[in-house]
Amino acid sequence: MAAYIGTPTSRVDGRAKVTGEAKYAAEFNSDGLVYGAIVTSTIAKGRIKRLDASAAKRVDGVLDVLTHENRPHMADADQAWKDDVAPEKGSPFRPLYDDGIRFSRQPIALVLAREWEIAVFAATLLDVEYASEAHVTDLYAERDKAFVVEKPAKPRGDAPRAYAASEVRHEDEYFVPVEHHNPMELFAATVVWEGGGKLTVYDKTQGVQNVQRYVCSAFNKKPEDVRVVSAFMGGGFGAGLRPQYEVALAVLGALALQRSVRVVLSRAQMYGLGYRPATIERLAVGASKDGTLNAMTHEATAVTSEYEDFSRNDTGWGGVLYNSPNVNFVHRLARLDVSTPCDMRAPGAATGVYGLESAMDELAVALKLDPVELRLKSYSDRDRNEDRPYTSKQLRECYAQGAAAFGWSRRNPEPRSMRDGKELVGWGMASGVWEALQMPAAARIVLTANGHADVSCAASDIGTGTYTILAQVAADALGLPIENISVKLGDSTLPDAPVEGGSWMAASASHAVIATAEEVRTELLAAAKTIENSPLADAKAEDVVLADGKIMSKHDQSRAVSITDIMRHSGADRILKEKKHEFGEDSSHARNTHSAVFVEVKIDEELGIIRVTRVVSAVAAGRILNTKTAASQIIGGVVWGIGMALHEETVFDHRFGRIMNANIAEYHVPVNADIHDIKVIFVDEPDEKINKLGVKGVGEIGIVGVPAAIANAVYHATGTRVRDLPITLDKVLG
Amino acid sequence: MINFRYSRAGDVADAVRQIASEPRAKFVAGGTNLLDLMKYEVERPGHLIDISRLPLTGIEETASGRVRIGALVPNSDLAYHPLIEERYPMLSSAIRAGASQQLRNMASTGGNLLQRTRCSYFYDVATPCNKREPGSGCSAIDGHNRMHAILGTSEACIATHPSDMCVALAALEANVNVAGPAGERVIAFADFHRLPGDTPQRDTNLEPNEIITAIELPARGFAQNYTYIKIRDRLSYAFALVSVAAALELEGKNIKEARLALGGIAHKPWRDENAEAALRGQNATRDTFKRAADILLSGAKAYAHNAFKIELARRAIVRALTQAAQGTPQSQSNKKVL
Ligand SMILES: Cc1cc2nc3c(=O)[nH]c(=O)nc-3n(C[C@H](O)[C@H](O)[C@H](O)COP(=O)(O)OP(=O)(O)OC[C@H]3O[C@@H](n4cnc5c(N)ncnc54)[C@H](O)[C@@H]3O)c2cc1C
Ligand code: SF4
């Protein structure tokens, strides 16, 4: 039987999704379900002076209106509200806690009614009076007050001095605005009141056990009384890593009424959750005339809220990608009257590498050196930040294969030198880098006598393909056809898994499945040995494999016993194993994924209309478990990178401290017409050091580098360098 | 969204009767604009009169060679109707440049004329807006105004009319047939939409108790030399930053008749008699086109974020007239501008 791992296996949950069989958080029902409508603040900072809900309460069908004045009890201590992903420092937001307003669109009331329409109508009748205070939502207005957070990577040498002494220098700032995730599915929670204080919580989340622990600690519940389910998600992208306020509100409603409650955010309310923080990236890079990198300073100044310190690694990537003897990395945070930012696809890297790789391009221009050449000149075979080798780094191959597939050698380096009719043609490139993280995770396998296996784990599949790769891994590890594997995910009662994020789930969960399958094999072998004249009587555990529904000797396939025979003989109808897998603590090697992104843009010279006509993304990410779902991840990342480069921007009116494009008609993401040819290459990257399977994960790497590659291509086409995203046509109109 | 009563109109007379008897009533056709506005509480009608089943769905030629389009013809049916594609391809093109296929399937001809501005302050009841709440102030003038108007603005409002279809209708000099308590009347397209002045709350000269029954197109369709170019922030499914409907009648190189209408730059589809006059009788050259563009934009006034629209509009006019003159109209599926 051929291995499933590494093949383009189609999604095992595809059918359930397109037929509507897959149920999402807002689709679960319960007798007497109550509907909650959320009311949010219109000011950015201050206090609720008066909140009169009497008119709303008088509406027929309204059961209650919860506010900070009458809500059920919830924990006071910050610690109780800190979920697994909460920033270390700060006091997490808790809805309806008190009269304080910390950001515009903060939830201030929950209207509970028999029907959704009644709740929504009654929500319009609330009479709220605020005591406003002066707010600040503009990063540029606050940047001087930004404070330094723990440095992401150690400085080396003397970057400012080396920069000053460099023969060729480039220094500038790049800006990324606030961006929102805009998943298709709205955040929603259906809390089913099971009686006796027990709750089943259907929540849109990337981590059911994280939400389970959060609900228990915030509402003082026993772990066995709260079960959280999120089997399918209509897009998470990091927005669902932390428990969002819909789940706290739905639980509050259920506790207040002792009934089942559903809360669904509106699209506009989605803009009151977390987001990619606006960030100013300041880069200073210096080289000698031949292009040898001497100095690199990367300082990032990012938004956080008044109540939590959220920061990710924007700087430091230059020390992972390149060899510069003098480096300095600084990360600052500016506090604004906004909600706390959160993770969004490749947090830190998507923004930081945009700055870094734009600056590298500008340096290449100043050096009159090919941008790929510049990167190869300072190519680093070691992670310079930690001074250690990589488990693997095939970035050189990414440059080579990407450039060849793209036709990079035909590029005329002169800006505005290439054209196609009325359009200027620009070719740009950038490197990408992300971490290859892995976490402890557990899995359960139930193998039945008919050769069917149920594989389960609390992990969420946020649409990335976790169901599918775990089915492939289990099928190979158990020697069964994939049709015989059922995967169950996204339930807090299943074996422990981390939140789904950081691209760590593929490595983490697949090794849990392998480890558990090994236990199944050990038990099968023990049982096989008890059979009279067993052909495996003296086989050792390391000598046998599971294949074709049998356990067999690695050395002699004729020495085999079928699973059915073993079960029949032992009188068992199933084998159940559960095992937690942990990766050995080893910081001797750096673990990273890499990419090289090549982009062609065509820009109408007179009208400024920008089209991204070709993208080649060459990715080195260890062993690819499923070439189809992995390529889809990269394509999705590239599409998002196009959006980040050309379209996405959450627009604030700082006078009101309010987001003005809180809907997906006005918040632009790319549409089909914006997407042309995208080619994904996975370069071969065997990695025996990182983990047993050599897997690294591909969720985030696809977006990293794309915005810079596009910005660089826009420069090459037009001669205009745009340093603030998004690159809209008015910025390139000559 | 507030609670409202709902009724269905049996015929046009019934629709007029119903709306006259209830001052807080509104017609609903496709609902693609009105329902959104109700969800945002920008519109708070106490009563919706559903006109979507009125038999105003015909597209027919009249005895005088004009074409009459029922007010409830869906935008997509109109765009792909053989008579329209053949005689008024500029109208087909403009419709196809707007919204998405799904929206065009729902949107009606009459509703398209009456869609309201996309100014983001107008949409957010937490911010002041003269159009939504007369006298409260215009947040856009000193706020975000990248999408806003450069011509015909007032101190009270600088919003744009967002329709694509209406730009082509303006260029074609359509008529709007309406019915009201006082009977029927015809409004010339140029007189249908208003400039904001000091009453930005009124988008059009349609009375609140009147219903649009049809649009009538003159026989002249400019099917040989026309184009519709729409410039926007992504290649589809976005409102126009600037759009241009250009139509010419040529005799050799000489321009016999010219129509030029712009979208995305004013409170109404923008035409300029002097700009068109500057084209008539001239040779179809880039210089002629530039002169017309300069005339049309001579009174343009920029705000903090939309100055680029003036130059963009100038270039778009030249490009559109070039396409029209060459008989190579813009494709609405291939987004590369020819
Ligand atoms: C996301 C999005 C993107 C869009 N993009 C574009 C775009 O790019 N270009 C573009 O041109 N348009 C665009 N539109 C707007 C769309 O074209 C309009 O919403 C649509 O044409 C309105 O028609 P309707 O029948 O749905 O009107 P409704 O929403 O039913 O009604 C709109 C208004 O007209 C009134 N009304 C309707 N019919 C009549 C009548 N016969 N007589 C009197 N009053 C009437 C109603 O009372 C209401 O006030 C977009 C809309 C959305 C939601
Ligand atoms: S431009 Fe008009 S619609 Fe926009 S805020 Fe000003 S008054 Fe309101």
Side-chain angles (χ1 to χ4, degrees):
Chain A
M1 203 163 64
Y4 289 101
I5 292 179
T7 62
T9 302
S10 290
R11 282 169 192 273
V12 295
D13 51 339
R15 193 189 151 80
K17 281 187 169 167
V18 298
T19 55
E21 203 181 296
K23 277 178 129 190
Y24 294 80
E27 297 182 311
F28 289 88
N29 267 314
S30 164
D31 285 343
L33 184 68
V34 174
Y35 298 81
I38 303 162
V39 180
T40 61
S41 74
T42 53
I43 65 160
K45 187 178 188 177
R47 245 171 7 85
I48 302 169
K49 232 161 83 181
R50 188 178 58 83
L51 198 162
D52 181 0
S54 52
K57 282 185 181 164
R58 278 197 301 274
V59 174
D60 190 29
V62 170
L63 303 169
D64 205 351
V65 178
L66 298 186
T67 68
H68 62 283
E69 286 166 347
N70 67 346
R71 60 160 171 81
H73 179 76
M74 51 195 199
D76 293 307
D78 288 341
Q79 204 50 41
W81 292 89
K82 286 212 172 170
D83 66 279
D84 298 358
V85 195
E88 253 169 65
K89 288 193 192 141
S91 166
F93 175 70
R94 49 208 93 172
L96 313 189
Y97 184 70
D98 57 21
D99 63 355
I101 300 295
R102 289 158 188 87
F103 54 92
S104 191
R105 292 181 209 278
Q106 172 182 326
I108 56 169
L110 180 69
V111 179
L112 295 161
R114 235 181 324 106
E115 288 171 21
W116 166 245
E117 287 76 10
I118 296 174
V120 168
F121 165 58
T124 67
L125 302 177
L126 252 61
D127 185 8
V128 190
E129 201 185 320
Y130 299 99
S132 300
E133 289 165 34
H135 61 258
V136 186
T137 54
D138 183 1
L139 175 59
Y140 282 97
E142 260 330 87
R143 73 180 293 185
D144 292 343
K145 292 190 207 140
F147 58 95
V148 173
V149 294
E150 199 186 329
K151 288 193 181 179
K154 295 184 285 279
R156 271 177 286 123
D158 185 340
R161 178 184 294 228
Y163 179 77
S166 291
E167 288 165 321
V168 182
R169 286 172 294 194
H170 168 73
E171 178 175 2
D172 220 313
E173 279 185 5
Y174 303 86
F175 178 67
V176 183
V178 167
E179 296 164 355
H180 278 78
H181 309 70
N182 292 306
M184 206 132 50
E185 182 197 8
L186 299 167
F187 272 89
T190 305
V191 173
V192 176
W193 182 260
E194 306 279 12
K198 281 192 192 293
L199 302 176
T200 303
V201 179
Y202 299 96
D203 186 32
K204 171 175 170 140
T205 175
Q206 295 174 235
V208 284
Q209 292 173 325
N210 186 25
V211 170
Q212 195 257 4
R213 284 188 283 273
Y214 172 86
V215 168
C216 288
S217 73
F219 298 97
N220 195 22
K221 288 256 155 213
K222 293 203 277 292
E224 59 271 26
D225 286 348
V226 179
R227 176 180 163 215
V228 179
V229 178
S230 174
F232 295 99
M233 254 187 124
F237 314 120
L241 282 172
R242 298 186 70 183
Q244 297 294 350
Y245 70 66
E246 82 286 346
V247 71
L249 287 180
V251 170
L252 275 176
L255 294 177
L257 300 178
Q258 309 218 333
R259 284 174 71 168
S260 302
V261 171
R262 176 189 297 158
V263 172
V264 184
L265 267 62
S266 69
R267 181 57 67 182
Q269 287 165 351
M270 297 281 284
Y271 292 81
L273 304 177
Y275 50 88
R276 197 192 287 291
T279 310
I280 304 165
E281 310 279 351
R282 188 183 153 267
L283 269 297
V285 282
S288 52
K289 273 197 190 112
D290 68 351
T292 308
L293 209 55
N294 297 327
M296 172 182 292
T297 295
H298 188 169
E299 298 181 355
T301 307
V303 170
T304 194
S305 67
E306 282 286 347
Y307 53 90
E308 279 176 318
D309 292 4
F310 174 89
S311 71
R312 287 292 178 263
N313 199 10
D314 277 69
T315 68
W317 297 106
V320 180
L321 280 168
Y322 303 120
N323 186 3
S324 169
N326 301 287
V327 297
N328 194 26
F329 304 114
V330 184
H331 193 99
R332 294 189 184 87
L333 290 180
R335 290 195 192 286
L336 301 179
D337 297 302
V338 292
S339 60
T340 306
C342 73
D343 289 307
M344 180 159 140
R345 208 161 194 176
T351 44
V353 173
Y354 157 66
L356 171 67
E357 289 296 285
S358 297
M360 287 295 280
D361 196 68
E362 299 210 51
L363 184 64
V365 171
L367 284 160
K368 298 194 170 37
L369 195 63
D370 179 83
V372 178
E373 199 53 44
L374 172 65
R375 284 158 176 89
L376 288 174
K377 271 209 182 283
S378 51
Y379 194 88
S380 182
D381 285 313
R382 291 176 78 76
D383 165 6
R384 299 284 155 183
N385 291 338
E386 299 294 331
D387 193 27
R388 58 188 178 183
Y390 297 94
T391 59
S392 58
K393 178 176 175 177
Q394 290 296 329
L395 176 56
R396 223 182 265 283
E397 266 309 297
C398 295
Y399 292 134
Q401 292 186 27
F406 186 83
W408 184 256
S409 60
R410 295 193 304 276
R411 178 179 187 261
N412 180 340
E414 207 46 48
R416 301 182 74 89
S417 63
M418 294 164 66
R419 50 171 72 234
D420 172 10
K422 293 189 170 64
E423 289 178 315
L424 296 165
V425 177
W427 287 5
M429 62 80 57
S431 323
V433 55
W434 183 245
E435 291 169 83
L437 303 163
Q438 41 196 25
M439 299 281 179
R444 182 185 302 149
I445 295 178
V446 180
L447 178 68
T448 45
N450 59 2
H452 188 105
D454 281 325
V455 178
S456 58
C457 171
S460 292
D461 183 337
I462 63 172
T464 46
T466 312
Y467 281 104
T468 310
I469 57 158
L470 293 189
Q472 291 174 273
V473 169
D476 283 356
L478 296 169
L480 295 173
I482 200 164
E483 299 75 40
N484 289 18
I485 311 288
S486 308
V487 181
K488 196 159 184 267
L489 300 174
D491 184 329
S492 62
T493 59
L494 296 174
D496 290 356
V499 295
E500 159 81 325
S503 300
W504 57 56
M505 195 55 92
S508 308
S510 59
H511 284 89
V513 169
I514 299 256
T516 313
E518 275 166 14
E519 302 241 311
V520 171
R521 193 184 63 204
T522 306
E523 181 151 334
L524 283 171
L525 178 63
K529 285 181 189 235
T530 65
I531 297 176
E532 211 169 320
N533 296 326
S534 171
L536 297 170
D538 43 38
K540 295 201 209 64
E542 58 272 23
D543 293 333
V544 294
V545 289
L546 298 177
D548 293 337
K550 299 177 201 148
I551 181 164
M552 61 175 67
S553 162
K554 272 184 194 168
H555 318 293
D556 176 1
Q557 296 200 355
S558 68
R559 287 169 58 202
V561 187
S562 77
I563 292 172
T564 321
D565 284 346
I566 294 173
M567 297 263 200
R568 190 182 303 132
H569 179 81
S570 65
D573 60 355
R574 56 187 214 146
I575 292 174
L576 184 153
K577 289 287 166 197
E578 182 173 329
K579 180 146 176 76
K580 181 163 187 172
H581 175 267
E582 301 205 29
F583 297 90
E585 281 289 320
D586 177 11
S587 55
S588 64
H589 287 75
R591 306 186 184 99
N592 290 94
T593 51
H594 295 91
S595 68
V597 186
F598 295 84
V599 166
E600 174 181 271
V601 297
K602 292 191 174 173
I603 302 178
D604 190 295
E605 188 176 8
E606 276 180 340
L607 305 176
I609 300 164
I610 305 171
R611 303 187 304 132
V612 178
T613 44
R614 279 194 307 136
V615 180
V616 173
S617 175
V619 176
R623 176 190 292 198
I624 302 305
L625 290 170
N626 181 324
T627 47
K628 189 173 184 178
T629 54
S632 294
Q633 282 299 303
I634 302 300
I635 292 169
V638 169
V639 169
W640 200 335
I642 292 172
M644 190 169 165
L646 302 183
H647 307 121
E648 294 199 43
E649 179 178 17
T650 301
V651 178
F652 277 82
D653 187 318
H654 298 305
R655 298 170 302 172
F656 306 114
R658 197 161 163 86
I659 294 167
M660 293 314 303
N661 59 342
N663 64 74
I664 44 178
E666 261 73 28
Y667 182 110
H668 285 175
V669 299
V671 294
N672 278 330
D674 295 294
I675 304 305
H676 296 87
D677 197 24
I678 300 174
K679 185 179 170 64
V680 178
I681 299 168
F682 289 115
V683 310
D684 203 28
E685 188 176 65
D687 191 333
E688 285 168 10
K689 296 196 185 77
I690 190 157
N691 53 43
K692 198 165 178 166
L693 288 171
V695 171
K696 287 180 169 179
V698 294
E700 341 252 335
I701 185 65
I703 186 174
V704 186
V706 179
I710 293 172
N712 298 341
V714 168
Y715 169 76
H716 182 237
T718 61
T720 302
R721 181 69 67 171
V722 180
R723 300 188 185 86
D724 57 323
L725 300 183
I727 306 171
T728 46
L729 59 82
D730 45 313
K731 297 180 186 172
V732 298
L733 273 182
Chain B
M1 179 147 75
I2 65 164
N3 281 347
F4 54 87
R5 283 194 297 127
Y6 171 88
S7 64
R8 203 172 270 165
D11 53 31
V12 170
D14 181 34
V16 171
R17 210 163 32 241
Q18 287 198 34
I19 200 131
S21 67
E22 164 66 89
R24 285 184 59 224
K26 270 197 155 309
F27 294 129
V28 62
T32 60
N33 190 219
L34 182 57
L35 296 189
D36 276 0
L37 290 167
M38 287 170 68
K39 288 177 191 166
Y40 286 111
E41 290 181 65
V42 175
E43 299 271 20
R44 299 168 59 92
H47 182 172
L48 283 191
I49 303 163
D50 185 350
I51 56 169
S52 65
R53 302 188 191 202
L54 294 185
L56 304 172
T57 52
I59 298 176
E60 66 241 358
E61 209 173 334
T62 66
S64 56
R66 298 165 70 86
V67 170
R68 185 185 298 126
I69 302 157
L72 288 161
V73 173
N75 287 179
S76 41
D77 287 12
L78 181 57
Y80 293 101
H81 194 279
L83 195 57
I84 304 298
E85 284 192 304
E86 193 193 311
R87 283 179 52 182
Y88 309 99
M90 182 167 64
L91 178 58
S92 282
S93 184
I95 294 170
R96 290 176 54 199
S100 64
Q101 186 64 53
Q102 292 90 333
L103 282 158
R104 295 193 296 265
N105 288 343
M106 285 303 291
S108 66
T109 302
N112 194 310
L113 266 57
L114 295 169
Q115 63 174 299
R116 309 211 64 189
T117 184
R118 305 302 295 199
C119 171
S120 52
Y121 302 100
F122 175 70
Y123 264 77
D124 187 347
V125 294
T127 62
C129 165
N130 284 329
K131 187 182 277 298
R132 182 169 26 77
E133 217 180 297
S136 63
C138 170
S139 296
I141 284 188
D142 297 316
H144 286 286
N145 45 41
R146 186 170 171 276
M147 295 296 293
H148 287 71
I150 51 173
L151 282 164
T153 54
S154 74
E155 291 291 299
C157 177
I158 60 171
T160 59
H161 192 261
S163 172
D164 292 294
M165 184 180 97
C166 290
V167 181
L169 290 176
L172 290 168
E173 296 191 342
N175 281 340
V176 186
N177 297 359
V178 309
E184 298 184 0
R185 65 179 179 125
V186 175
I187 307 174
F189 209 84
D191 301 329
F192 187 79
H193 295 98
R194 294 162 57 100
L195 289 181
D198 50 12
T199 53
Q201 67 275 21
R202 283 204 69 183
D203 294 350
T204 70
N205 286 317
L206 187 76
E207 294 301 328
N209 55 13
E210 286 179 313
I211 183 171
I212 300 174
T213 54
I215 302 289
E216 264 191 38
L217 299 173
R220 204 177 213 170
F222 301 92
Q224 306 307 318
N225 293 95
Y226 74 94
T227 198
Y228 186 76
I229 294 182
K230 180 178 184 183
I231 300 169
R232 49 199 143 175
D233 275 325
R234 60 183 167 195
L235 295 175
S236 182
Y237 199 29
F239 291 94
L241 293 164
V242 170
S243 71
V244 184
L248 301 172
E249 270 177 20
L250 297 172
E251 224 176 67
K253 281 199 152 235
N254 198 259
I255 301 171
K256 289 281 136 210
E257 174 61 0
R259 301 282 172 80
L260 187 60
L262 271 75
I265 60 159
H267 201 257
K268 60 188 288 187
W270 193 262
R271 277 182 72 190
D272 185 317
E273 186 39 50
N274 296 331
E276 290 176 11
L279 292 165
R280 264 180 231 120
Q282 304 297 313
N283 276 351
T285 64
R286 207 175 154 85
D287 280 344
T288 308
F289 301 156
K290 273 189 177 158
R291 225 169 11 249
D294 287 343
I295 293 170
L296 188 139
L297 292 159
S298 57
K301 173 174 177 210
Y303 296 84
H305 309 119
N306 68 355
F308 74 95
K309 279 194 178 184
I310 299 177
E311 186 55 28
L312 184 62
R314 197 185 317 276
R315 297 179 188 182
I317 290 169
V318 174
R319 186 73 70 85
L321 287 167
T322 309
Q323 284 189 356
Q326 290 173 348
T328 52
Q330 180 60 37
S331 158
Q332 297 304 347
S333 39
N334 183 349
K335 309 296 177 181
K336 177 173 174 164
V337 181
L338 297 168

